[in-house]
Structures are given as C-alpha cells and as structure tokens.
Amino acid sequence: MVTYPNAHILDVAGPLEVLTGATLFLPEGISPYTIHLVAHSRGNVSTTSGLNLQAGQSFATAKRDIADIDTLIISGGHGTAEAMQDKALMDYVGHAAARAKRVVSICTGAMILAELGLLDGRRATTHWWWCPILGQRYPDVTIEPDAIFIRDGNIWTSAGVTAGMDLALALLEEDWGHDVALKVARYNVMYMMRPGGQTQFSANLIAQKAEDPRIGETLDHILANSVDDLTVASLASRAAMSERSFTRKFKEETGMTPAHYVEAARLQKARVELEQTDIPVEQIARQTGFGTAERMRRVFQRHLGISATDYRDRFRITIARTQEEHAP
C-alpha cells in the first residue's frame, strides 16, 4: 500500500481491513496477505484526519525488494497532487506496477496511475468530483464516472473513499472465493455488491460545486422543487440564458446534462421518502416529480438495479423499530 502525507486514512485502512479480515474465516495458521505500508520515508505519515500512519518501508528500500509484489495499491486523498511531485513515489509506483500481478488505485490514486500513463487506453474511475478533471487532463483514459470500481486487465480503479472497500472485497473474492468474501462482507456490515453507482450520492454535493452563481441557483432550485416541470426551457429562462448556452454551461459546471441532474435530484428525494416514511410508492412518485410509480420504478432500476419497492424493503427505517429503541 503506497501512501503519502495528507492521504485519506480510510483509503488506506478501509481496503486493508477488508483484505486482512479474511483471516477470521480461513483455517487457523493461514494468513491471507502480508501487508507492507510504503511511503517516502519510514515512520510517521500524516493523514487528513490528523491521525498518523506508520510506514514500514521507504520507496527507496521497497524498490530494491520488488519482485514479490502481488498487489500494488495506491491510496488517495487531498495530498495526491503533492504526491505526484514526489519523484521517489512516482519512480517507485512506475517500477512496481511493471512487476506487480495487480495494480489498484483507491479514489484519487487514479491520478497517479494516469500521470504515469498506466491508464492510457483503459477504462477507469475515481471520486465523482475528480472524474471530469481526470478526463480533461488525461484524454486517453476512458472515464466511467458512475462506477464504484472498474477492472480493466490487471488494473483496478475505485471511486471515492468507501468504494475502496468494495474494490477490496472484489479482490478478496478473486483470491479466496465467494464464500470467504461474503463472510467478510457480513462481518463488516457491507453489501457484496452495493446497489447503484456513485451518482446516487452526489446531487447535493454537485450543487455545492458550481462556481457560476446562475447554475448554482438553478441546482438549488431543482433540489428544492423536484415536483415542478423542470424542462431545459424553463430552467434556462430562470437563469436568464439561452437554452443552448444554459445546457453547455450546466454541463461544464456539473459534468451532467440538466435532464440527468433533474433525474438524480428526484431519485435522491424519493430515496429519502422511501427510507424514512410509510407514504405509498405512488404518492412518493407524484411528490418527487416522477409522475407515476412505473416511471419511478424504471429510474430506480436503471440507477440502482432494484425497484423502488425493493429499495424500501431493504433500507426503510421503520417507525415501530425506532419507537421500540427509545421506549422507557
């Protein structure tokens, strides 16, 4: 596991906890993986949380002992841009990647792989916020912004933060089989394959990202008024822009078309209603702008892989259970 100052601690610890968790479900005496944490220097490595990691090897030392790497993992985090200026790190990753059986990036670690040319001609993903940047800087990489993780040949890339744990679970399944991976998933209270992609998490966050105040206000309006007739024409008029200019600027600011964002906003609002209320599905469809339960079902199926009714069955927080937990 390659790390650096201001890496996200969960990008490091999350995947490693999943992989080493197999120890609990393998015969006694079998150690599933030998883990090495590698950084610019041995010793403390600061993370964005303020906690320190303890690197056991420097890049210089690890580079001399590189033949036995099975899986090379590159962590992500706010320090990625600075890490890409670390010649020792980039030399080590390039050298190790050429010899590793698998090469894996967590979150923005994909930027390091892309800078080294390792993602050229491949499909890849990263944190949804960084997908447009990755695509602009490295046009030879095919970006899949909604993927939780991508495998292209021997290179694996993941979306942000907890998606690294999903990817690690897939590595575990490849190495030790479905049964072991399933037990580790249950132990960590994870899905073997979570429903949906990373766009399901991002409607509010995308609204915060917009720099153009006209687009930012439009995004806020969509989130607050999902039941309205949110056509491109009406939204462009609200922003005092031509439809063509509005559509172009909207996509520049968000990486999405207006229609895609409206659908994401409605989906997000419907998910909350399904999770937290007992309102009938047909009524939720009307209240969130889908119009009909059938249209909402198709959107849920397309984005999350399950129907709205199945989503409620899996994720609803029941009023009865809450009352029981707080009963005197």
Side-chain angles (χ1 to χ4, degrees):
M1 170 69 80
V2 171
T3 193
Y4 42 82
N6 288 320
H8 196 303
I9 196 168
L10 197 57
D11 286 3
V12 178
L16 297 185
E17 283 290 340
V18 169
L19 294 173
T20 58
T23 305
L24 299 172
F25 306 105
L26 293 171
E28 187 175 351
I30 294 180
S31 179
Y33 303 95
T34 300
I35 304 296
H36 298 281
L37 188 62
V38 188
H40 188 89
S41 304
R42 286 190 60 185
N44 287 342
V45 182
S46 62
T47 68
T48 52
S49 68
L51 299 176
N52 287 335
L53 298 167
Q54 191 75 14
Q57 286 183 298
S58 68
F59 295 130
T61 301
K63 190 174 178 180
R64 295 195 298 265
D65 182 30
I66 217 161
D68 294 333
I69 292 182
D70 178 81
T71 305
L72 176 70
I73 308 179
I74 318 300
S75 61
H78 297 312
T80 304
E82 289 78 11
M84 291 166 67
Q85 305 304 313
D86 184 341
K87 186 176 185 303
L89 182 151
M90 299 301 284
D91 285 350
Y92 171 74
V93 173
H95 194 65
R99 292 158 178 77
K101 175 184 173 184
R102 295 182 296 208
V103 179
V104 174
S105 67
I106 310 299
C107 192
T108 55
M111 302 293 288
I112 292 173
L113 298 186
E115 180 66 18
L116 290 166
L118 296 173
L119 299 182
D120 288 355
R122 295 180 184 269
R123 297 159 50 245
T125 194
T126 187
H127 190 287
W128 65 267
W129 184 290
W130 286 91
C131 279
I133 299 171
L134 184 64
Q136 290 166 10
R137 291 187 184 176
Y138 307 102
D140 291 334
V141 183
T142 300
I143 310 301
E144 299 202 8
D146 196 40
I148 296 297
F149 64 85
I150 292 285
R151 178 184 185 178
D152 191 324
N154 73 325
I155 295 185
W156 304 58
T157 55
S158 83
V161 197
T162 55
M165 299 177 71
D166 294 276
L167 187 155
L169 204 58
L171 297 177
L172 191 63
E173 182 175 21
E174 180 175 76
D175 294 342
W176 295 96
H178 180 78
D179 289 347
V180 170
L182 180 59
K183 290 174 182 177
V184 171
R186 287 174 174 168
Y187 182 79
N188 286 286
V189 198
M190 296 172 61
Y191 284 101
M192 268 297 290
M193 181 61 70
R194 77 167 86 179
Q198 56 178 330
T199 55
Q200 64 181 294
F201 306 105
S202 60
N204 282 88
L205 296 174
I206 288 174
Q208 297 170 18
K209 179 183 175 183
E211 295 181 0
D212 188 312
R214 297 170 298 177
I215 301 301
E217 193 279 333
T218 302
L219 295 171
D220 290 338
H221 175 76
I222 292 169
L223 287 171
N225 301 278
S226 66
V227 72
D228 289 358
D229 183 21
L230 301 172
T231 62
V232 170
S234 66
L235 294 174
S237 176
R238 182 181 182 83
M241 301 171 69
S242 71
E243 291 184 33
R244 183 175 179 181
S245 296
F246 173 77
T247 301
R248 183 183 69 251
K249 189 63 177 176
F250 193 100
K251 192 161 187 179
E252 287 176 1
E253 291 280 315
T254 67
M256 314 169 74
T257 65
H260 189 178
Y261 184 82
V262 167
E263 186 171 272
R266 287 171 173 164
L267 177 66
Q268 178 175 285
K269 189 169 183 178
R271 286 175 58 234
V272 173
E273 294 297 311
L274 290 166
E275 292 167 7
Q276 299 183 7
T277 76
D278 291 319
I279 297 173
V281 170
E282 293 80 2
Q283 186 176 341
I284 290 174
R286 291 193 299 271
Q287 291 177 350
T288 55
F290 286 111
T292 67
E294 174 58 23
R295 183 180 177 191
M296 186 169 75
R297 184 195 67 78
R298 291 197 301 269
V299 172
F300 267 75
Q301 195 71 47
R302 185 167 65 253
H303 285 272
L304 305 179
I306 56 176
S307 69
T309 301
D310 288 341
Y311 183 90
R312 167 171 272 174
D313 290 342
R314 290 192 192 185
F315 297 107
R316 180 169 55 183
I317 304 171
T318 64
I319 296 173
R321 183 184 304 167
T322 303
Q323 290 174 339
E324 288 175 6
E325 291 172 352
H326 292 85

